[in-house]
């Protein structure tokens, strides 16, 4: 696929607008970290500010970086107190040993060179600083999403290209970058969605859109038809709830 940031630049105006998906995960991550007011926090792949905004509300001094210019401009306009900058996170234009905390929500598994990104985070954190990065993780959904996922599994082999690189071994890569006390925690959200179309709009407002776009036009249209039919069934059977999990990868500089 082309550079990942180009997808998210296109999605910026509707990203996290349908339901507060990333904002919920951002709030949960800050609850877990509980940074002290005044902490200097760097958020990479910040998007519209799911983590950065929650951190600023807790009194952190926040630098938020993203490669997608539209994401950065939207964040800067909505939250002028956050230092929002367009930047390649493989090569941070930031001084050594500056930050107390570094975070990244659902970004490390999308980058071309995870170890290089982690080495940059190691460089800009002060000794004893904390890094916390989320990747998609398991979530108990009572089987609600089994049929939807099986429909996607049927179409996935027809995609013209794989939209993302192979998932990295984040704990191993953290150790390779020089971090210690590597550990994990689990987060989950369960968010109700008003109707099938809103849920489809949500799915097409983040990285899942790249999967659908990798299908041919007829396959994409057929997948959408079947996905919406399943979402309609869910809606009539008690309501649609977006159940998603995250693994938090934590380590110390």
């Amino acid at each position: 696929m082309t550079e990942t940031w180009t997808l998210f630049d296109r999605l910026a105006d509707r990203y996290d607008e349908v339901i507060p998906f990333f904002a919920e995960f951002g709030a949960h991550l800050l609850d877990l970290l509980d940074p002290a007011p005044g902490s200097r926090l760097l958020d990479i792949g910040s998007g519209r500010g799911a983590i950065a905004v929650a951190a600023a509300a807790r009194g952190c001094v926040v630098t938020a970086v993203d490669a997608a210019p539209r994401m950065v401009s939207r964040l800067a306009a909505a939250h002028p107190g956050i230092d929002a900058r367009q930047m390649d996170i493989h090569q941070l234009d930031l001084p050594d040993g500056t930050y107390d905390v570094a975070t990244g929500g659902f970004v490390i598994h999308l980058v071309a060179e995870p170890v290089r990104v982690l080495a940059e985070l190691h460089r800009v954190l002060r000794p004893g600083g904390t890094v916390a990065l989320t990747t998609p993780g398991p979530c108990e959904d009572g089987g609600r999403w089994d049929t939807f996922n099986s429909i996607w599994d049927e179409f996935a082999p027809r995609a013209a290209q794989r939209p993302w690189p192979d998932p990295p071994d984040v704990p191993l890569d953290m150790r390779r970058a020089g971090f210690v006390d590597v550990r994990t925690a689990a987060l989950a959200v369960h968010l109700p969605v008003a109707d099938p179309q809103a849920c489809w709009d949500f799915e097409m407002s983040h990285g899942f859109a790249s999967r659908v776009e990798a299908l041919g036009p007829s396959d994409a249209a057929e997948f959408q038809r079947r996905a919406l039919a399943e979402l309609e069934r869910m809606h009539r059977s008690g309501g649609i709830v977006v159940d998603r999990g995250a693994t938090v990868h934590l380590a110390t500089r």
Side-chain angles (χ1 to χ4, degrees):
M1 127 177 222
T2 58
E3 291 288 342
T4 302
W5 69 263
T6 62
L7 169 70
F8 292 100
D9 204 53
R10 287 193 288 109
L11 298 177
D13 288 342
R14 60 183 188 272
Y15 189 79
D16 228 24
E17 290 281 345
V18 181
I19 56 174
F21 179 83
F22 297 102
E24 283 288 313
F25 273 115
H28 290 328
L29 180 63
L30 269 294
D31 286 342
L32 177 68
L33 292 175
D34 194 22
S39 297
R40 295 181 61 84
L41 184 144
L42 169 67
D43 185 45
I44 63 168
S46 200
R48 294 277 295 275
I51 297 172
V53 172
R58 288 171 172 261
C60 295
V61 180
V62 180
T63 301
V65 302
D66 199 291
R70 184 61 179 165
M71 289 287 197
V72 174
S73 65
R74 288 294 303 261
L75 175 57
H79 301 279
I82 292 173
D83 180 12
R85 309 187 198 183
Q86 184 183 351
M87 198 176 297
D88 180 358
I89 61 175
H90 291 85
Q91 188 172 1
L92 295 171
D93 185 17
L94 298 168
D96 296 356
T98 302
Y99 296 95
D100 303 298
V101 183
T103 58
F106 299 104
V107 64
I108 194 63
H109 60 296
L110 304 180
V111 302
E113 299 176 70
V115 175
R116 184 177 173 189
V117 172
L118 288 163
E120 282 291 274
L121 295 180
H122 189 273
R123 178 181 65 79
V124 301
L125 277 170
R126 63 166 180 77
T130 299
V131 62
L133 309 172
T134 58
T135 57
C139 179
E140 177 54 53
D141 63 6
R144 277 192 289 261
W145 286 87
D146 288 355
T147 301
F148 185 97
N149 291 335
S150 69
I151 294 169
W152 170 250
D153 289 343
E154 179 183 335
F155 281 84
R158 308 180 197 177
Q161 60 181 357
R162 296 187 61 195
W164 309 122
D166 291 331
D169 184 334
V170 178
L172 177 61
D173 289 346
M174 283 178 157
R175 294 185 182 97
R176 287 175 173 167
F179 286 101
V180 298
D181 190 24
V182 178
R183 58 209 185 274
T184 61
L187 300 176
V189 300
H190 305 276
L191 301 172
V193 186
D195 55 62
Q197 187 61 53
C199 193
W200 177 259
D201 292 343
F202 158 69
E203 296 290 2
M204 295 301 289
S205 70
H206 59 90
F208 188 78
S210 67
R211 300 184 182 186
V212 180
E213 291 175 0
L215 298 171
S218 62
D219 281 335
E222 178 63 9
F223 172 71
Q224 180 178 359
R225 184 191 69 78
R226 289 179 58 186
L228 280 167
E230 171 56 17
L231 292 170
E232 179 63 35
R233 185 199 66 77
M234 294 167 67
H235 182 57
R236 292 178 177 176
S237 300
I240 304 169
V241 178
V242 171
D243 308 281
R244 298 291 189 273
T247 299
V248 185
H249 303 272
L250 299 138
T252 302
R253 163 72 163 87

